Amino acid sequence: MTKFKRIGVLTSGGDAPGMNAAIRAVVRAGLSNNINITGIIRGYDGLVNGEFREMSSRKVSNIIHRGGTILKSARSEAFRTQEGRYKSYRNLIEEGIEALIVIGGDGTFTGARIFGEEYDFPIVGIPGTIDNDLFGTDMTIGFDTAINTVVEAVDKIRDTASSHERLFFIEVMGKDAGFIALRAGIATGAEAIFIPEVQTELDDFESYLFNGSNQRKSSNIVLVAEGDETGGAFKLADKVKIKFPQYDMRVTILGHIQRGGSPSAYDRYIASRLGVAAIEALMDNQRSIMVGLKHKEIDHIPFAQTIKHHKEADKTLMALLKTLNY
Ligand code: F6P
């Protein structure tokens, strides 16, 4: 059992609803174990520049329901350099911070792993990204809220699509992964989904349109992950328009609306559990690991594994979508 006097916490990369709930859990779990908590502002940039805030229990009151992150977030260029990381280490020592908890995604953990090895510094990660693309955890903080936001938006678009008998291409986030498109596509009854993990959707969708299986439908909704190899919703619509000019098509990019908003009950719940688990892991001498959720239980996954392995999208869901569109 390691007895820490002070632990730092930061949020990094794209923000995600539920990050505040995780910060709150880290602060309260730390304080209840007589560990002081320092908030680091603007992710790794704040480490490099020494932007530190003392976190009291009251500083995290009334934030569990708020989107974004009270600690701010950034994608730091400075921390990618050896000089930036050296400055960070000096700042941590001066501040008396003996361990770090970093909340973010793949890039956040890559930085943490390098820094942890370079300076033999204890770091534990908490998965926070709307993309849900981290190997070693069933869910990341923010994913549930993001898909609910997408579902709400797509339902609204369906209303107008039906009224005008239109074909809509709706682009959702996910530059490397199609988890949002897949899950939200099934939940909204989308007619097709385009994701980076699968390369045959255009053929399938074209034969769906050729075969006229859409004839009975007054609207068609296609969800496109931004990282799909077709190049996104606008490019895909252009391609489809050439072969099917008879369709009245529209394109909507949902964009950053997916990253904001009050976190869902589920995101608040997992953020709270993972925040406490991160403090407990550090006290238990764990380092260079991410705390994740496996079959609803807390799990510890080495950074090396979560960074190296690719979390597979469940491709059987594509077949399920076809069945549901029968
Ligand atoms: O990683 C989360 C994410 O929202 C991705 O889905 C998206 O591609 C990216 O961040 C957008 O980042 P930015 O806000 O820096 O444009």
Side-chain angles (χ1 to χ4, degrees):
M1 183 105 166
T2 312
K3 191 76 199 108
F4 291 105
K5 287 202 188 72
R6 181 170 294 280
I7 292 174
V9 59
L10 61 82
T11 47
S12 158
D15 62 348
M19 279 183 164
N20 281 328
I23 296 166
R24 170 181 177 269
V26 166
V27 170
R28 298 224 164 131
L31 295 176
S32 71
N33 283 289
N34 294 317
I35 301 167
N36 296 305
I37 304 290
T38 298
I40 298 152
I41 313 299
R42 297 187 185 83
Y44 291 126
D45 271 350
L47 263 192
V48 178
N49 301 325
E51 288 187 84
F52 299 125
R53 303 271 184 285
E54 185 69 35
M55 301 301 282
S56 64
S57 185
R58 292 290 70 80
K59 279 224 170 95
V60 292
S61 291
N62 283 321
I63 65 166
I64 194 167
H65 60 292
R66 281 173 53 192
T69 159
I70 59 161
L71 293 178
K72 315 275 182 215
S73 193
R75 304 187 200 272
S76 174
E77 282 306 318
F79 196 70
R80 289 179 204 272
T81 66
Q82 271 189 346
E83 194 196 341
R85 293 195 295 276
Y86 177 70
K87 273 173 85 179
S88 302
Y89 181 67
R90 297 301 322 158
N91 287 336
L92 286 169
I93 298 298
E94 247 171 56
E95 203 66 19
I97 299 172
E98 300 156 313
L100 276 179
I101 292 176
V102 296
I103 308 171
D106 218 25
T108 305
F109 298 159
T110 303
R113 186 189 175 199
I114 295 169
F115 185 77
E117 275 174 15
E118 261 174 1
Y119 292 99
D120 189 22
F121 204 84
I123 311 183
V124 164
I126 298 178
T129 163
I130 63 162
D131 293 347
N132 198 32
D133 58 349
L134 279 172
F135 178 86
T137 187
D138 295 336
M139 293 285 271
T140 56
I141 297 167
F143 176 63
D144 184 65
T145 308
I147 55 175
N148 278 295
T149 301
V150 171
V151 165
E152 203 185 323
V154 174
D155 285 350
K156 288 179 178 162
I157 292 171
R158 178 73 82 175
D159 289 345
T160 175
S162 298
S163 306
H164 290 267
E165 298 177 284
R166 281 175 171 159
L167 163 56
F168 264 86
F169 293 91
I170 304 173
E171 187 174 300
V172 297
M173 278 188 168
K175 55 183 179 305
D176 308 309
F179 292 97
I180 296 178
L182 254 186
R183 200 67 78 90
I186 288 177
T188 51
E191 276 66 32
I193 299 173
F194 284 70
I195 56 172
E197 293 88 340
V198 176
Q199 265 81 54
T200 54
E201 307 103 314
L202 189 53
D203 294 345
D204 288 352
F205 185 56
E206 284 182 349
S207 50
Y208 163 81
L209 292 180
F210 268 126
N211 294 338
S213 40
N214 60 316
Q215 292 297 311
R216 307 184 303 266
K217 302 207 172 188
S218 61
S219 62
N220 284 288
I221 298 282
V222 179
L223 283 198
V224 188
E226 63 178 329
D228 185 69
E229 73 288 348
T230 49
F234 274 108
K235 289 205 173 128
L236 177 59
D238 286 346
K239 268 186 205 150
V240 175
K241 188 85 194 164
I242 295 168
K243 283 196 189 159
F244 301 93
Q246 70 273 31
Y247 280 90
D248 189 10
M249 297 180 194
R250 291 292 185 275
V251 175
T252 302
I253 311 282
L254 292 187
H256 286 79
I257 192 172
Q258 296 161 89
R259 286 235 298 258
S262 181
S264 66
Y266 184 78
D267 275 329
R268 298 178 198 196
Y269 166 74
I270 62 168
S272 302
R273 283 193 67 186
L274 291 169
V276 174
I279 288 283
E280 287 173 353
L282 279 172
M283 289 168 62
D284 192 28
N285 293 326
Q286 305 263 4
R287 47 167 66 199
S288 287
I289 56 125
M290 172 186 86
V291 287
L293 280 173
K294 263 285 157 74
H295 308 301
K296 299 188 185 145
E297 296 304 327
I298 298 289
D299 200 8
H300 296 158
I301 306 97
F303 281 150
Q305 271 187 38
T306 188
I307 293 161
K308 191 167 143 223
H309 295 292
H310 186 68
K311 182 168 169 184
E312 287 293 323
D314 183 357
K315 293 187 193 122
T316 61
L317 293 179
M318 296 297 269
L320 182 91
L321 188 88
K322 258 193 196 161
T323 307
L324 293 171
N325 269 307
Y326 185 74

